[in-house]
Amino acid sequence: MDEYYTAIRRLPGFLRRPLEEVPPRQAQTVHEIHLRSGRPVVLTCADGQFCLPGQGGPTLTHAQLQECFYSLCDHSVHSYEQQLARGFITLPGGHRVGVAGLFRLQGQAMMGLSAVTSLNIRVARTVTSELPASLRDHILGPFRGLVLVGPPGSGKTTLLRGVSALLSRAGKKVSVVDERMEIWPCGTSGFAAPVPLHCDVLSGCDKQEGILSALRSLGPQVILCDELGDAEDFSAVCAGSKGGVSFVCTVHGDAVEAVEQRFCATREQLAKSFSCIGLLAGASHPGVIKQVCWL
């Protein structure tokens, strides 16, 4: 079954049913489902966007959107409070739901939601593309680190999942800091998919704390992190690199300069922790690396 159908499984029947009626060939191309208060449901594919017909009216009412939100939370919003404070929840299978609305603030920190105005379901798909041969051979030997850079929807997370499996098959001990629980989704009943043999996963754990925890207690040769965001994340990577651990990380962007700006680091500083940067092709070719920049 295509991942699209698992992504919509928790939606209430009034919306799930018309979504299930999308032609299978078209459903396989959907990578985002946008639910917005007072507006039609919009599905995003590689070749554009289209509105969902036959959803019981031309727009999604505010009350219907709240019902969708509670249903996606499995009617237990408090179970997702930590994720919601960061603006998302993760569904079984690694599908991420971005949340916008009226947030309750305590100082500068988001403490919760008073009302939801938008939900964006990102369908997590398995990327079958492989790393370029030169890059694959590089990370299977001793290496400092690799950064995968691409815009939203370019397949960074699922490519990272494939890299963790590749490294594990090569016998390397891997720790995955899975803050958003998308790389190897895990619940109280276990993992949603089989995890590689030599791979330990820190699910729902802050990246900086997760890196330190892995270094202290798991003895990894390689640590994987999704969506490094700032100079503090980079500092945690630098600390691990000094201990002889290699890193494979992803960053939002479309150029090497985006990594420099996000980490407030020069090319020379990046080269101390990373040996190369892989630039992804984008949403039209998810999981495909178009260029490798050696540092």
Side-chain angles (χ1 to χ4, degrees):
M1 179 182 293
D2 187 76
E3 292 91 340
Y4 167 86
Y5 298 101
T6 63
I8 65 175
R9 186 174 294 164
R10 276 194 183 177
L11 286 169
F14 76 86
L15 182 55
R16 185 183 65 253
R17 286 188 289 271
L19 285 169
E20 289 173 341
E21 293 173 2
V22 172
R25 183 170 296 181
Q26 190 173 34
Q28 292 171 6
T29 70
V30 174
H31 58 84
E32 289 185 339
I33 304 167
H34 305 267
L35 314 179
R36 300 180 176 104
S37 177
R39 284 158 286 178
V41 175
V42 176
L43 285 74
T44 300
C45 307
D47 57 354
Q49 299 179 321
F50 66 94
C51 293
L52 178 68
Q55 63 186 64
T59 63
L60 195 65
T61 69
H62 189 68
Q64 287 176 324
L65 182 65
Q66 308 313 303
E67 183 179 350
C68 290
F69 171 66
Y70 289 119
S71 185
L72 289 170
C73 290
D74 203 22
H75 302 283
S76 181
V77 176
H78 71 275
S79 299
Y80 291 89
E81 286 180 349
Q82 185 176 359
Q83 292 185 30
L84 286 169
R86 299 171 184 170
F88 71 92
I89 65 171
T90 303
L91 304 179
H95 312 288
R96 189 197 304 176
V97 183
V99 182
L102 178 60
F103 282 87
R104 298 192 304 272
L105 300 178
Q106 183 173 318
Q108 298 297 317
M110 295 189 299
M111 302 303 295
L113 280 162
S114 297
V116 174
T117 55
S118 297
L119 297 168
N120 181 27
I121 303 172
R122 297 182 61 184
V123 181
R125 298 186 181 280
T126 302
V127 173
T128 56
S129 301
E130 295 185 356
L131 296 174
S134 61
L135 190 54
R136 183 179 65 249
D137 293 342
H138 176 66
I139 68 171
L140 289 178
F143 75 106
R144 289 194 303 280
L146 164 65
V147 185
L148 299 171
V149 182
S154 58
K156 297 187 297 298
T157 300
T158 43
L159 185 57
L160 198 63
R161 186 183 306 136
V163 169
S164 70
L166 173 68
L167 293 169
S168 177
R169 287 196 299 271
K172 292 197 175 188
K173 292 190 295 181
V174 178
S175 290
V176 177
V177 182
D178 197 2
E179 182 175 13
R180 292 174 172 82
M181 296 183 288
E182 295 180 299
I183 304 171
W184 293 108
C186 179
T188 55
S189 58
F191 289 100
V195 176
L197 176 62
H198 304 296
C199 183
D200 300 305
V201 183
L202 293 91
S203 296
C205 183
D206 174 81
K207 284 186 285 290
Q208 296 168 38
E209 290 296 326
I211 290 172
L212 292 176
S213 178
L215 291 170
R216 282 195 298 261
S217 58
L218 296 175
Q221 294 170 282
V222 185
I223 294 177
L224 278 67
C225 299
D226 203 9
E227 297 186 11
L228 293 187
D230 54 29
E232 291 183 356
D233 288 346
F234 179 54
S235 294
V237 170
C238 292
S241 298
K242 291 176 182 177
V245 176
S246 303
F247 282 81
V248 181
C249 310
T250 68
V251 170
H252 279 310
D254 56 7
V256 175
E257 290 73 20
V259 183
E260 296 173 329
Q261 293 169 4
R262 190 172 291 275
F263 293 164
C264 299
T266 64
R267 190 76 60 96
E268 291 73 21
Q269 289 172 321
L270 292 176
K272 293 179 180 179
S273 296
F274 300 109
S275 49
C276 54
I277 296 175
L279 301 177
L280 277 72
S284 59
H285 297 87
V288 175
I289 294 178
K290 65 179 181 179
Q291 182 181 357
V292 177
C293 302
W294 300 94
L295 298 174

